[in-house]
Amino acid sequence: MSLALRGARVTLRQWADADLAPFAALNDDPAVMLHMSKHLSRDESDAFAARVRAHIVEHGFGLWAIDVPGLGFAGFVGLATVPFELPLPGFGGAPCEIGWRLARAAWGHGYATEGATLALRYGFASAKLPRIVSLAAHDNALSIAVMERIGLTRRGEFDHPRLPPEHRSHRHVLYAKERP
């Protein structure tokens, strides 16, 4: 049985097969993917969704699909292990990251903030995570604003180890919050 988190307007839930086509479309949208390493092909998008679904089944949480008013599926919001060593003092190991990726039609309505608040609360209260981090390209003002609205604080900057120095998103910021 899959967990669903419900807010005033959004629902975070396990993925469905019907989410794959709209997810592939948002992964191919230049505005949505501006700060990502690259656009995803349909096969890459489907493989990403499959990994996320499996993680939710195995751990009870992950990058949940987000449903929003008027759109239904609008992307993801949730928790995942950072897949590389963070090059900042005190952030070793494999910290849990809170992240989101929403279709452009869902931007500017507070859905990322509402969903991230639900995920953050779950991460601390139910999953008992000691710390949750969030990463973004240094110029991704929209994601940084969400991080600040949900109570994370800036802890430093670093060069993303999986992006070449010439990539526009090579420089990243790290925000974090410890479990209360």
Side-chain angles (χ1 to χ4, degrees), residues 15-29 32-33 40-42 44-50 52 63 73-76 101-103:
W15 293 63
D17 290 344
D19 302 330
L20 298 179
F23 187 56
L26 77 87
N27 284 324
D28 194 40
D29 181 326
V32 172
M33 300 304 285
L40 301 182
S41 70
R42 176 62 193 256
E44 290 168 325
S45 182
D46 288 353
F48 181 99
V52 168
L63 298 173
F73 174 83
F76 68 75
R101 184 179 307 160
L102 273 63

Side-chain angles (χ1 to χ4, degrees), residues 100 134-136 143-153 173 175:
W100 43 86
S134 194
L135 319 172
S143 281
I144 291 169
V146 173
M147 293 175 196
E148 292 173 352
R149 281 194 295 271
I150 65 171
L152 278 65
T153 57
V173 295
Y175 278 65

